[in-house]
């Protein structure tokens, strides 16, 4: 399987995670995640690794609002060294404010610091998604992109939840060159509140997640009613068997819409030992094998795209399990 690995993610090293309002919590979205996931994949299947150096500025501009992209570029360029930038002001009325106070127009959470290397890394992650999608357009075969930072919380003009650009919908845009209907299936622990904004009739969004009102992104229940978004919540203490039964329902309903390609937003943070969870699941490593088997049912090409997963010591085992379940029987 072709695996697209962004190279510039190493320059993105967030340190402060104030998203629980508590200083001193180490940031979980660490560079080591990518190599850990890759090691697990390479132990399960033969990997055709493609290092990605490019930045998907054009694709990102086509997906996100111009003032949002311009703001991130300008803010990123203003930072030096290891400075960790977090917004101090919040509101939609900051257009005239100094550059350092405008982030609050685009962000509702203080867990996503920006450093000098962050925006190049985010554009490079989007490029990995785009390159993987182009590979699927050319070959009609499954591909994988180890995007970091992740993307599913990034909206048209909104960052947060460790995400800046919506890698999955960057991939969707590229896939639509060949595939008329592209379903996005998101199995990250969290609802992709950014992805909700991009869902459409030809690119519906399906997600299985922890209750998004009681877990990040702490969403307003009424705002969950979005066209072309099919949302399923698992119980707070869900076990592997119950989770996989729900996952089968979600995946089958996505496949019932007869997509020509599928993008899987793959998060490993559903693992019970992942420290990101507000409510603990009971999933174990072996459950990712079952999940991989379910996704392998897709009769169309599948793009596997990394979202969350923060128990770094277990990530290789999780990705190994997933790919071991997924790869057999796919050409
Ligand atoms: C990003 B992705 C809970 C803190 C939540 C933000 C979580 C972002 C998750 N204790 N902080 O969907 O994996
Ligand atoms: Zn997550």
């Amino acid at each position: 399987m072709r695996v697209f690995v962004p190279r510039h993610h190493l320059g993105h090293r967030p340190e402060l995670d104030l998203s629980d309002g508590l200083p001193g919590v180490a940031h979980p979205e660490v560079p080591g995640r990518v190599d850990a996931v890759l090691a697990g994949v390479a132990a399960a299947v033969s990997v055709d690794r493609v290092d990605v150096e490019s930045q998907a500025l054009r694709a990102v501009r086509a997906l996100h609002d111009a003032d949002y992209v311009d703001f991130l570029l300008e803010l990123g360029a203003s930072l030096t060294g290891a400075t960790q930038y977090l917004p101090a002001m919040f509101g939609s009325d900051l257009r005239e404010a100094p550059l350092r106070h405008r982030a609050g127009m685009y962000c509702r959470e203080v867990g996503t610091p920006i450093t000098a290397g962050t925006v190049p890394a985010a554009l490079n992650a989007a490029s990995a998604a785009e390159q993987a999608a182009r590979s699927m357009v050319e070959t009609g075969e499954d591909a994988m992109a180890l995007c970091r930072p992740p993307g599913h919380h990034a909206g048209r003009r909104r960052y947060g939840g460790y995400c800046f650009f919506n890698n999955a919908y960057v991939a969707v845009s590229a896939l639509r060159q060949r595939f008329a209907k592209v379903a996005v299936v998101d199995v990250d622990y969290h609802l992709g509140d950014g992805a909700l904004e991009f869902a459409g009739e030809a690119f519906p969004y399906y997600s299985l997640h922890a209750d998004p009102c009681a877990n990040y992104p702490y969403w307003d229940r009424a705002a969950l009613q979005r066209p072309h978004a099919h949302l399923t919540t698992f119980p707070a203490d869900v076990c592997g068997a119950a989770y996989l039964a729900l996952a089968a329902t979600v995946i089958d309903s996505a496949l019932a819409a007869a997509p020509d390609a599928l993008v899987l937003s793959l998060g490993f943070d559903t693992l019970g030992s992942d420290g990101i969870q507000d409510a603990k699941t009971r999933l174990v490593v072996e459950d990712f094998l079952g999940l991989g088997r379910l996704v392998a049912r897709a009769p169309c090409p599948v793009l596997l795209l990394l979202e969350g997963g923060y128990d770094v010591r277990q990530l290789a085992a999780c990705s190994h399990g997933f790919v071991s379940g997924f790869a057999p029987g796919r050409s």
Side-chain angles (χ1 to χ4, degrees):
M1 180 159 55
R2 270 194 203 166
V3 181
F4 293 78
V5 185
R7 296 308 301 156
H8 299 293
H9 81 87
L10 294 168
H12 175 52
R13 295 170 183 274
E15 283 168 16
L16 286 165
D17 185 355
L18 298 178
S19 57
D20 279 328
L22 302 171
V25 176
H27 207 289
E29 210 283 275
V30 294
R33 299 175 56 246
V34 168
D35 282 348
V37 172
L38 181 59
V41 174
V45 287
S46 123
V47 164
D48 178 7
R49 172 183 173 152
V50 184
D51 286 317
V52 178
E53 296 280 356
S54 48
Q55 310 229 308
L57 188 55
R58 187 190 299 259
V60 159
R61 282 199 185 282
L63 194 65
H64 294 272
D65 286 2
D67 64 308
Y68 170 70
V69 178
D70 289 341
F71 165 77
L72 285 176
L73 289 169
E74 193 182 347
L75 183 85
S78 77
L79 303 171
T80 52
T83 304
Q84 305 269 318
Y85 170 85
L86 293 174
M89 299 293 297
F90 294 90
S92 54
D93 49 357
L94 298 164
R95 267 178 301 271
E96 314 277 316
L99 176 65
R100 69 179 179 283
H101 285 310
R102 297 210 294 271
M105 292 194 291
Y106 306 112
C107 182
R108 61 186 277 271
E109 159 266 327
V110 289
T112 310
I114 300 174
T115 67
T118 296
V119 179
L123 289 169
N124 186 223
S127 192
E130 187 182 38
Q131 298 296 320
R134 285 185 180 157
S135 159
M136 265 175 63
V137 164
E138 274 168 34
T139 66
E141 285 174 14
D142 302 334
M144 183 171 206
L146 300 185
C147 298
R148 177 180 176 272
H152 71 156
H153 298 300
R156 252 177 235 294
R157 49 187 299 105
R158 203 152 49 82
Y159 77 95
Y162 317 158
C163 302
F164 301 90
F165 304 125
N166 202 296
N167 304 318
Y169 276 90
V170 164
V172 165
S173 306
L175 288 169
R176 300 250 303 135
Q177 296 282 323
R178 167 168 173 179
F179 305 104
K181 183 154 193 171
V182 183
V184 176
V185 175
D186 188 338
V187 294
D188 187 276
Y189 175 87
H190 304 92
L191 166 68
D193 53 328
L196 280 184
E197 295 183 13
F198 297 108
E201 181 159 22
F203 28 86
Y205 177 68
Y206 297 78
S207 179
L208 174 60
H209 44 255
D211 179 357
C213 305
N215 291 265
Y216 189 87
Y218 313 114
W219 212 240
D220 171 14
R221 211 167 286 281
L224 295 171
Q225 305 293 328
R226 302 278 302 217
H228 312 295
H230 308 269
L231 309 185
T232 306
T233 294
F234 56 67
D237 60 348
V238 70
C239 69
Y243 175 86
L244 290 173
L246 284 170
T249 308
V250 169
I251 291 164
D252 286 349
S253 77
L255 296 179
D260 303 296
L262 195 145
V263 175
L264 186 76
S265 271
L266 178 54
F268 295 106
D269 48 0
T270 47
L271 185 70
S273 60
D274 198 302
I276 204 80
Q277 302 175 357
D278 285 294
K280 291 287 162 203
T281 73
R282 289 182 279 151
L283 266 67
V284 296
V285 165
E286 291 70 36
D287 294 320
F288 288 98
L289 187 103
L291 184 62
R293 286 192 181 128
L294 292 175
V295 178
R297 292 178 181 180
C300 60
V302 177
L303 174 48
L304 305 173
L305 197 148
L306 182 63
E307 298 284 356
Y310 308 98
D311 185 353
V312 179
R313 285 179 309 185
Q314 296 299 323
L315 274 181
C318 292
S319 62
H320 180 268
F322 181 89
V323 173
S324 301
F326 174 74
R330 302 203 51 100
S331 56

